[in-house]
Amino acid sequence: MTITGYRLGRRGFLTGMLGVSALPLLGSLPARAQDKKLRVFGWGDGAGFKGLFDAFEKVSGVKVSYEGVPFADLQNTIVQRFRTGNSGIDVFLVDPTYVPTFSKLGILADLTSAFGEKSKGILFPSDVQGATYNGKMLSMPMWESSQLLYFNKGLLAKAGVEAPGVSPDARMTWDKVIELAKKAQAAGAETGFGFEQVDRYYQLQVLPESLGGGPGVKGDDLLTVDVANDAWLQAGKWYGSIFADGVASRGPTNYQEMRDLFAAGRLAFLVSGPRYIADFNKVDGLDYGAAPQPYFAGGKAVTPSESFHLGVAADTTNADQALEFLNFAGLDKDGALVATGGNNLSANIEVAAEVLSRIPQQNPNLKGIDSLVRYELANTAIRRPRTLGYLQLEELVTRAWSDIRNGSDAAETFPQLQRELERSFKRIER
């Protein structure tokens, strides 16, 4: 998922969780007159969703009002809004990794009868699986994601480095990429390599996973911590080394800075998602290409996936309109295409194919990227663990990666992380 930018405060979120009472499922809502206005809650000012809202109003006659908070506050605010028993929300953006937690809190309406069968063959099965918990479909998948290795063709040519191939068979190892990045840096690149989502769990999960170390949790309920195995330690050692060597910079600390660095022609290699291709194409003089995300030698190729869903608030008074909106944004081809905003991949199979087919049309340098992303989604995609402890896992693992980036020893950091997570998980109600 391209899940960027937020780190949640465990105390605030969990305090909010404790105050949430069980809310009614969609089927038990009282019948009320519809007011022809749908209240949607998410992050930011909603400008990126205006096209979707306008298109929905045109086909349904329903106006959409949008309320947003800073991205960093999204999850905590959602929980706090439901504490009162009257959230004032009809539809809200859902990070699918929190579906189990939101289900436990009773804040998501059950969509099974409305979309369980209807979504088959229209949405990627893995996305429907991500929307389902305890046999119930609780959210409507809207977007998808993957990751690519972007490279600056000019910086590589200056270093005498051949541009990487786009085929999955041409996938390089992480060590090979760093070797080439150092050559580009020696030839004048300011920075050789970087992950767009600095220290983020979503993007770095692939490092221990490629080595067979798992996502950091295991067991039937995914509440047994496992972040200090040999694969995690090896991945952490590699991550620390690229900053210690200076091929990756400790300076940029957020995704926007990393993208700006690449767009400015100062970064040779960047791991990022296909949703930013449209932005890079607009940069005058940026001669770039993309290749498969690397893997560790002797390990397996894995890529991050999934992105935001839409959920219906369990206390909505506009159930019919909410369901109509979810159907339009997720299952209706025209609506789902508008919902991508022109940049995002779609969880709708047909729409995803159309979005991907446009990439090489927009930039001849990206010929084959559409086929590559399709391959990754079908063969290498992994998802973040659907554990009730994901909040703690994401926050503490991200902090550990940050410590390693800034010079801490992975051999000490991950065992300490193991102990912290074990203490934190003991407080989770099973």
Side-chain angles (χ1 to χ4, degrees):
M1 146 182 202
T2 305
I3 308 292
T4 56
Y6 65 83
R7 178 175 296 184
L8 308 176
R10 286 177 294 156
R11 181 173 299 175
F13 188 94
L14 294 175
T15 299
M17 280 175 42
L18 293 175
V20 177
S21 58
L23 293 166
L25 294 179
L26 192 62
S28 62
L29 290 170
R32 297 192 182 187
Q34 302 295 305
D35 60 10
K36 286 302 211 180
K37 190 171 186 179
L38 191 71
R39 302 163 298 177
V40 177
F41 186 83
W43 72 84
D45 60 7
F49 298 100
K50 186 178 185 304
L52 174 62
F53 299 157
D54 289 347
F56 179 65
E57 181 181 355
K58 186 175 181 179
V59 300
S60 68
V62 177
K63 291 188 68 68
V64 177
S65 64
Y66 185 85
E67 182 182 358
V69 295
F71 201 87
D73 299 330
L74 179 62
Q75 310 301 336
N76 189 45
T77 305
I78 288 171
V79 172
Q80 295 294 341
R81 288 288 290 266
F82 282 93
R83 290 188 66 191
T84 65
N86 181 16
S87 69
I89 298 170
D90 296 315
V91 173
F92 59 101
L93 291 163
V94 177
D95 177 342
T97 310
Y98 291 98
V99 165
T101 299
F102 289 171
S103 173
K104 190 176 181 66
L105 299 177
I107 66 179
L108 282 169
D110 185 352
L111 307 177
T112 309
S113 62
F115 302 121
E117 287 297 321
K118 190 176 181 180
S119 62
K120 291 180 179 179
I122 298 178
L123 303 177
F124 287 108
S126 57
D127 286 307
V128 176
Q129 182 181 0
T132 305
Y133 185 67
N134 284 341
K136 298 177 181 179
M137 184 175 179
L138 297 172
S139 59
M140 172 61 73
M142 182 172 59
W143 296 337
E144 246 298 353
S145 69
S146 187
Q147 295 290 288
L148 300 165
L149 178 68
Y150 291 97
F151 55 89
N152 184 298
K153 297 177 72 174
L155 293 177
L156 296 192
K158 188 176 179 181
V161 171
E162 184 178 353
V166 71
S167 167
D169 295 334
R171 191 185 310 271
M172 296 185 290
T173 65
W174 288 113
D175 288 339
K176 181 63 176 180
V177 172
I178 296 304
E179 175 190 329
L180 299 181
K182 288 180 178 179
K183 289 182 179 180
Q185 203 170 21
E190 180 180 319
T191 305
F193 172 84
F195 287 99
E196 176 222 343
Q197 295 186 35
V198 181
D199 303 330
R200 298 300 300 170
Y201 182 93
Y202 166 82
Q203 207 165 51
L204 300 185
Q205 178 188 351
V206 300
L207 299 180
E209 289 266 25
S210 177
L211 293 165
V217 288
K218 60 184 180 180
D220 292 340
D221 57 3
L222 294 177
L223 287 174
T224 299
V225 182
D226 188 25
V227 295
N229 59 56
D230 289 344
W232 273 75
L233 297 180
Q234 184 179 341
K237 181 179 179 181
W238 178 87
Y239 189 67
S241 71
I242 66 175
F243 296 98
D245 292 349
V247 67
S249 174
R250 289 177 173 141
T253 58
N254 65 60
Y255 64 95
Q256 186 62 56
E257 290 177 316
M258 292 304 302
R259 293 205 302 269
D260 289 347
L261 192 66
F262 185 77
R266 297 156 56 194
L267 174 63
F269 290 99
L270 173 70
V271 175
S272 184
R275 65 171 296 185
Y276 300 113
I277 286 174
D279 293 334
F280 290 151
N281 286 343
K282 296 175 183 176
V283 180
D284 290 339
L286 180 62
D287 188 13
Y288 77 100
Q293 177 174 278
Y295 72 110
F296 280 115
K300 62 181 179 179
V302 287
T303 51
S305 65
E306 74 186 346
S307 190
F308 273 89
H309 293 197
L310 295 170
V312 174
D315 63 354
T316 181
T317 58
N318 290 328
D320 291 344
Q321 293 175 10
L323 292 176
E324 188 177 2
F325 181 71
L326 264 63
N327 184 80
F328 182 73
L331 304 185
D332 181 90
K333 181 184 176 182
D334 293 335
L337 184 60
V338 175
T340 67
N343 294 332
N344 290 291
L345 296 181
S346 178
N348 184 302
I349 298 170
E350 189 175 1
V351 172
E354 183 165 340
V355 171
L356 288 170
S357 69
R358 295 177 180 181
I359 291 176
Q361 298 172 14
Q362 296 166 353
N363 187 337
N365 284 344
L366 301 180
K367 183 179 179 180
I369 290 299
D370 51 337
S371 298
L372 171 62
V373 174
R374 290 191 191 98
Y375 176 89
E376 303 289 47
L377 289 174
N379 296 278
T380 66
I382 59 172
R383 296 177 184 273
R384 295 165 298 156
R386 291 162 51 76
T387 169
L388 289 171
Y390 183 75
L391 174 72
Q392 298 94 314
L393 181 72
E394 181 186 56
E395 181 180 0
L396 294 179
V397 169
T398 296
R399 190 180 73 189
W401 286 120
S402 177
D403 290 343
I404 292 170
R405 172 173 57 88
N406 286 302
S408 295
D409 186 349
E412 296 178 0
T413 301
F414 283 143
Q416 179 181 344
L417 172 64
Q418 174 85 18
R419 294 189 291 271
E420 284 188 78
L421 282 169
E422 287 175 345
R423 287 194 297 269
S424 182
F425 276 26
K426 286 180 180 178
R427 298 192 291 271
I428 297 174
E429 183 180 344
R430 310 284 170 129

